[in-house]
Amino acid sequence: MAAAEEVKLFRNWSSPFGLRVVWALKLKGIEYDEELEDLSNKSPLLLQYNPVYKKIPVLVHNGKPICESLLIIEYLEETWKQTPLLPEDPHQRALARFWAKFGDEKVFETMRFGILLKQGKEQEEAIVSTIENLKYLEKELKGKKFFGGERPLDS
Ligand SMILES: N[C@@H](CCC(=O)N[C@@H](CS)C(=O)NCC(=O)O)C(=O)O
């Protein structure tokens, strides 16, 4: 990578999607600036960079925006080769991507839309599904610090 890279992350203080990008940046030792957004009053720049979803996080690299946290991490992985986050083996890579997708589509969704936003029977069902989904993750992580082992890149 050339010395004068401009990397800016638009996120807010609490979003797990923003934080996963922070972890990837830190694990790879990439220097970056941060723009903390108020999601009830989004900045014109955020809306310009992510006009489709209007969500954080957005990473802007040398003026070029990338949206969606998992795609941002894939971009970091392809652009900064140091400290690979994904295993080398294609099958292991596919598994890592599977669990990332599972986390977003099953675990986070049942928690946010089921437990937090629903009530009564629907909420009880969401609690059961969330526990079931978390058990899958726990089983995968058992005895390991990361899904990949001691470091995110170990397979
Ligand atoms: N799939 C997206 C989800 C991002 C997301 O849901 N961001 C939320 C904060 S946690 C947001 O910006 N919400 C603002 C809105 O929906 O108006 C990703 O992985 O980046």
Side-chain angles (χ1 to χ4, degrees):
M1 270 288 104
E5 296 292 340
E6 253 190 84
V7 181
K8 187 172 251 191
L9 177 64
F10 288 73
R11 67 177 187 101
N12 77 341
W13 67 275
S14 62
S15 164
F17 301 104
L19 286 171
R20 63 155 57 130
V21 176
V22 169
W23 294 335
L25 287 162
K26 287 191 187 296
L27 281 163
K28 283 185 169 285
I30 302 167
E31 282 184 31
Y32 68 99
D33 290 326
E34 209 164 61
E35 208 58 65
L36 286 182
E37 287 283 331
D38 169 2
L39 293 183
S40 62
N41 181 25
K42 295 170 190 166
S43 71
L45 261 186
L46 173 66
L47 299 175
Q48 177 192 320
Y49 286 135
N50 192 354
V52 177
Y53 289 112
K54 304 177 177 64
K55 289 184 177 190
I56 53 96
V58 175
L59 185 93
V60 185
H61 180 206
N62 294 337
K64 291 177 289 185
I66 304 112
C67 306
E68 287 293 306
S69 59
L70 288 180
L71 302 183
I72 296 171
I73 293 173
E74 296 264 351
Y75 177 82
L76 296 177
E77 185 77 341
E78 286 172 5
T79 311
W80 283 269
K81 305 284 184 198
Q82 71 268 25
T83 319
L85 303 172
L86 285 169
E88 231 175 272
D89 175 72
H91 183 246
Q92 292 295 320
R93 287 168 94 85
L95 291 182
R97 291 184 174 118
F98 172 87
W99 287 114
K101 195 164 167 6
F102 175 80
D104 281 10
E105 289 180 3
K106 297 289 269 184
V107 182
F108 191 74
E109 293 301 298
T110 46
M111 275 184 188
R112 180 160 67 171
F113 295 109
I115 298 181
L116 298 180
L117 301 180
K118 296 269 168 25
Q119 288 181 335
K121 193 167 180 306
E122 276 182 312
Q123 190 184 49
E124 279 165 29
E125 283 167 3
I127 292 171
V128 172
S129 322
T130 302
I131 292 172
E132 224 168 81
N133 292 335
L134 286 172
K135 279 191 181 151
Y136 282 117
L137 289 185
E138 240 171 29
K139 189 162 162 262
E140 271 308 296
L141 268 173
K142 209 174 171 91
K144 299 188 278 188
K145 200 166 163 197
F146 294 99
F147 282 96
E150 262 312 287
R151 300 170 60 196
L153 69 164
D154 290 340
S155 51

